[in-house]
Amino acid sequence: MTSVEVKNLTKEFHIRNGMKRSTLTAVDRVSFDLLPGRTVALVGESGSGKSTIARMLARLEKPTSGSIDVTLDDRTPVHGSVYRRHVQMVFQDPFASLNPFHSIEHHVARPLKIHRRTRGAAETHERVVHMLERVNLSPAEDIAARRPHELSGGQRQRVAIARALAPGAQVLIADEPVSMLDVSIRLGVLNLMARLQREDNLAVLYITHDLATARHFSDEILVLYRGRVVERGPADSVILNPQHDYTKLLAASAPDPERMGKLVRAAGAPDRSGIDNSVSFNHYTGEWTSLDKRPVPVS
Amino acid sequence: MTNLTPTTEPSVADADEALAATAREEGRKPRAGWRAMLPSMTPSLVIGFGIVAAIVLFGLLGPLFVQDPTTVRNSGLQPPGGGHLLGTTQTGQDVLAQLAFATRGSLEIGLIVGVLATLLSAFFGVLGAYLGGFADEAFSLFSNVMLVIPGLPLVIVISGFVPQEQRGLWTIAVVLAITGWAASARVLRAQTLSLRNRDYVAASRVAGERSWRVIAVEILPNLLPVIASQFVFAVIFAILSEAGLAFLGLGASNSSTLGTMLFYAQNGFALQLKAWWWFVPPGLIIALLGCGLSLINFSIDEIINPKLRNVRAHAKRMRIARKAAAR
Ligand SMILES: Nc1ncnc2c1ncn2[C@@H]1O[C@H](COP(=O)(O)OP(=O)(O)O)[C@@H](O)[C@H]1O
Ligand SMILES: [Mg+2]
């Protein structure tokens, strides 16, 4: 089993804007641990540095400072080319993360070959089919021969998950894995990841801006704001009892179908849109507002 | 926001599903990567391909059937007809025979320059863009310098500098390749810059692919249409430039091309003597070849430019979506 210890991870980008040079601290002294069988959720608005953390963990970006230590059960460190066998990543956009030129088989077979998980073409093909079946892609033989544009978004993201697990990864970084998918299939993909995590005892970093799924699928939540962790703790307590103003804002702005329905009914919410175009209904707060964003009393 | 009207028009997302479904039903083999790279059959591709194929066949097989192009006869400047299908030159040489050999020579130059220029531009464009940093700065500065050096004068200077005896086919080809690769390198660099930031390239690095494999297997295949179009462009450039050089008397000394034919026609006062059969055929072949290759390039453009491709793909999807909705 593999664990990851992230300490004071910092990433600065140097931006050259004409003559001016400036430094952007995208990630500022972030620390957390990823343990087998547990999920840490990283929550934050767009641009808060979530993907940068994921990319540093996947060794696509070098940290400016801080450390990422990956160790096995007996505390022996993992580094060099073995690192990629242990730590794998699922990207946000399944339409961009598969090469349009290659077949699905290529995508899953390459990590198997690179990390010498299989010997010979027959065994590799067999394992590819097995991996595709594990992520509920069937008929696997048929899917393996297809190319990415012949699959739906959800199917592609399953292929991406199969590719990530192919080298035998123990640590999975999922960067907003369902945010580009249709709402109706998000839960299916998340449940699949949860099942694979149980089966393989994976350590998972689940990056999202959706507090509801963060609460449901993770043990610990870290709230990221402009590169800094502003709040952290067990999932339930962070959501139900947010301390930091930013977390409160996030929690309040998360669409909660139950609460919204009640508010709408309580207010009587007459449909005024047909009569009067100058008001609109805010589904998050359950209020009617005028064009200049002032609340409008419900008659 | 409040009232949702059900959409009557089937969406493209539906069409995607329907497309995949029909493909499954028909039990079609999914198109392999290579096949999707091929341009679809458009009238311009068919015409362009036909013209180029005819000229290539003529250049390849023609020299086997015609008379000896160098034989000098007493019957100079004969109009077409009789023993000579395209007449004779001032010195009584058969124009058709000369045309066949000249076409072959021009095609050879075009092919050699096309390959050399494409290799150079792929090296400087793709590698620089992928490596980034200093290599990119250096490579793109170099190609920019090569780009702003005016091509034809440089070619004239270099060709004039090389003594005539040594000015063979390969010398001319190398000179043309050196002056002709820079624009393509910039195009390839721009394309590579956009490709190398794609998630699938990052994903292949996360999977543990080595750099050369990322370039050769993940990036290069997606550049193939661009490279093909740059290759065709280089061939056009080479054939036209060589014709220009040869016409100025700076062509290859050991081979005959369409340009050298025009050069001799000009020197033999073909225009003044109204011997149209001497200069019209080579001129026509150059024009047709340029035209045919350009038509092919337009069709390749359709693969590269998603805007052009999507117009037709979208029409197809909508047809399928309507059919699926009607069922
Ligand atoms: N390669 C880069 N160069 C410069 N700035 C970057 C780069 N990558 C990310 N950033 C900046 O870092 C910040 C965090 O980005 P990102 O990690 O993608 O946020 P998130 O994934 O939370 O939306 C953003 O302000 C972004 O503009
Ligand atoms: Mg992101």
Side-chain angles (χ1 to χ4, degrees):
Chain A
M1 292 292 98
T2 321
S3 353
V4 183
E5 191 182 352
V6 175
K7 259 191 296 194
N8 288 323
L9 196 61
T10 302
K11 179 74 192 182
E12 290 171 352
F13 288 113
H14 300 282
I15 303 164
R16 208 170 40 175
N17 194 353
M19 283 278 107
K20 273 191 294 182
R21 282 164 173 274
S22 56
T23 304
L24 172 90
T25 309
V27 177
D28 192 3
R29 285 163 290 163
V30 171
S31 306
F32 57 88
D33 293 333
L34 298 177
L35 299 171
R38 292 178 61 81
T39 303
V40 174
L42 202 54
V43 193
E45 64 183 355
S46 172
S48 56
K50 305 182 300 289
S51 294
T52 308
I53 292 178
R55 293 172 65 84
M56 283 192 284
L57 276 165
R59 291 208 168 165
L60 287 169
E61 239 32 285
K62 272 208 177 76
T64 308
S65 65
S67 63
I68 300 170
D69 292 312
V70 179
T71 49
L72 300 178
D73 273 344
D74 55 4
R75 309 296 298 158
T76 49
V78 171
H79 41 222
S81 62
V82 194
Y83 186 95
R84 299 213 180 277
R85 194 161 82 210
H86 288 263
V87 183
Q88 280 292 319
M89 171 166 172
V90 174
F91 288 80
Q92 176 174 10
D93 184 356
F95 294 88
S97 69
L98 302 180
N99 193 334
F101 184 81
H102 291 297
S103 68
I104 301 304
E105 170 131 25
H106 170 92
H107 287 91
V108 185
R110 280 308 301 163
L112 293 172
K113 287 183 198 155
I114 293 167
H115 299 285
R116 303 220 169 82
R117 302 278 297 175
T118 53
R119 300 206 175 278
E123 194 190 338
T124 305
H125 176 73
E126 210 171 282
R127 184 73 69 88
V128 168
V129 169
H130 171 72
M131 290 308 301
L132 292 178
E133 275 164 359
R134 271 198 78 190
V135 295
N136 297 342
L137 282 174
S138 60
E141 288 278 358
D142 174 41
I143 301 257
R146 287 199 216 165
R147 289 199 305 130
H149 73 92
E150 293 168 304
L151 301 185
S152 68
Q155 288 176 314
R156 291 187 210 204
Q157 202 58 304
R158 286 164 199 269
V159 172
I161 293 170
R163 163 175 67 187
L165 295 184
Q170 297 291 305
V171 180
L172 190 66
I173 297 145
D175 185 3
E176 306 201 32
V178 293
S179 67
M180 305 287 278
L181 302 183
D182 203 275
V183 180
S184 58
I185 53 175
R186 287 184 182 175
L187 211 58
V189 172
L190 288 173
N191 280 330
L192 167 73
M193 292 204 346
R195 193 197 84 213
L196 294 169
Q197 176 181 31
R198 273 197 309 279
E199 288 173 4
D200 285 2
N201 203 21
L202 301 173
V204 176
L205 178 66
Y206 173 46
I207 296 175
T208 182
H209 52 237
D210 175 13
L211 281 177
T213 59
R215 180 183 169 196
H216 187 263
F217 286 98
S218 62
D219 305 292
E220 188 187 356
I221 292 183
L222 270 68
V223 181
L224 207 62
Y225 181 63
R226 300 201 177 169
R228 287 193 195 158
V229 175
V230 292
E231 185 158 0
R232 69 193 304 163
D236 280 346
S237 68
V238 169
I239 304 285
L240 298 177
N241 190 15
Q243 298 299 312
H244 194 275
D245 283 346
Y246 174 64
T247 319
K248 284 179 193 165
L249 196 71
L250 261 186
S253 63
D256 181 345
E258 277 176 42
R259 194 170 55 99
M260 195 172 75
K262 276 191 205 115
L263 271 174
V264 172
R265 239 172 285 121
D271 184 6
R272 297 173 56 163
S273 59
I275 315 159
D276 184 358
N277 278 332
S278 65
V279 292
S280 64
F281 184 69
N282 186 332
H283 285 267
Y284 291 168
T285 58
E287 280 171 340
W288 287 94
T289 48
S290 60
L291 281 184
D292 51 7
K293 302 275 184 274
R294 271 197 301 247
V296 175
V298 180
S299 51
Chain B
M1 257 326 277
T2 41
N3 28 6
L4 289 169
T5 43
T7 46
T8 41
E9 190 74 353
S11 76
V12 174
D14 294 342
D16 266 339
E17 287 293 319
L19 202 61
T22 42
R24 250 168 274 141
E25 273 167 30
E26 290 161 18
R28 259 195 294 125
K29 266 261 170 205
R31 298 210 330 164
W34 296 104
R35 281 213 28 216
M37 291 276 152
L38 294 178
S40 43
M41 277 297 176
T42 54
S44 71
L45 178 70
V46 174
I47 295 171
F49 198 75
I51 294 174
V52 174
I55 294 176
V56 168
L57 271 182
F58 178 61
L60 277 181
L61 304 178
L64 304 178
F65 298 109
V66 295
Q67 308 162 11
D68 182 3
T70 51
T71 311
V72 177
R73 298 176 190 83
N74 283 331
S75 49
L77 280 189
Q78 273 186 9
H84 307 288
L85 265 181
L86 283 179
T88 58
T89 70
Q90 205 175 25
T91 47
Q93 293 159 326
D94 185 55
V95 172
L96 182 64
Q98 288 210 333
L99 194 66
F101 280 93
T103 303
R104 177 186 274 188
S106 279
L107 287 174
E108 266 174 37
I109 289 261
L111 198 66
I112 296 172
V113 175
V115 170
L116 287 181
T118 304
L119 287 179
L120 279 173
S121 60
F123 179 80
F124 285 105
V126 177
L127 198 63
Y130 180 75
L131 294 177
F134 179 76
D136 186 31
E137 300 271 330
F139 283 9
S140 67
L141 179 69
F142 182 52
S143 28
N144 284 345
V145 168
M146 291 303 295
L147 192 67
V148 292
I149 292 177
L152 202 61
L154 180 72
V155 172
I156 293 173
V157 168
I158 299 180
S159 318
F161 186 72
V162 180
Q164 174 140 31
E165 317 78 72
Q166 290 166 30
R167 207 194 297 143
L169 185 84
W170 276 90
T171 320
I172 298 294
V174 167
V175 168
L176 287 175
I178 287 174
T179 52
W181 62 271
S184 308
R186 282 186 57 90
V187 174
L188 286 177
R189 173 171 178 268
Q191 282 284 325
T192 311
L193 280 182
S194 111
L195 285 184
R196 81 172 197 142
N197 289 327
R198 300 275 163 95
D199 277 354
Y200 61 76
V201 173
S204 70
R205 282 167 60 203
V206 171
E209 295 281 21
R210 296 184 185 288
S211 291
W212 71 265
R213 247 200 106 98
V214 175
I215 295 180
V217 180
E218 305 292 331
I219 293 181
L220 218 49
N222 290 295
L223 282 174
L224 277 180
V226 189
I227 292 178
S229 127
Q230 297 304 320
F231 172 78
V232 173
F233 180 74
V235 172
I236 301 175
F237 160 83
I239 289 175
L240 294 184
S241 307
E242 197 281 333
L245 274 182
F247 186 71
L248 296 175
L250 295 167
S253 58
N254 61 351
S255 79
S256 92
T257 64
L258 295 167
T260 44
M261 240 184 121
L262 287 172
F263 171 71
Y264 285 119
Q266 159 80 3
N267 276 8
F269 301 106
L271 202 62
Q272 289 86 335
L273 297 170
K274 301 211 167 57
W276 56 268
W277 58 88
W278 194 359
F279 61 87
V280 168
L284 203 62
I285 291 210
I286 291 179
L288 281 176
L289 201 55
C291 172
L293 289 171
S294 302
L295 283 173
I296 293 181
N297 235 2
F298 293 151
S299 308
I300 301 178
D301 265 350
E302 198 181 80
I303 320 176
I304 303 164
N305 189 342
K307 266 191 206 140
L308 293 176
R309 174 170 46 176
N310 284 351
V311 174
R312 276 162 9 99
H314 188 80
K316 184 177 175 191
R317 284 172 171 191
M318 288 317 258
R319 269 202 312 278
I320 292 173
R322 283 209 196 87
K323 239 190 271 168
R327 257 191 241 152

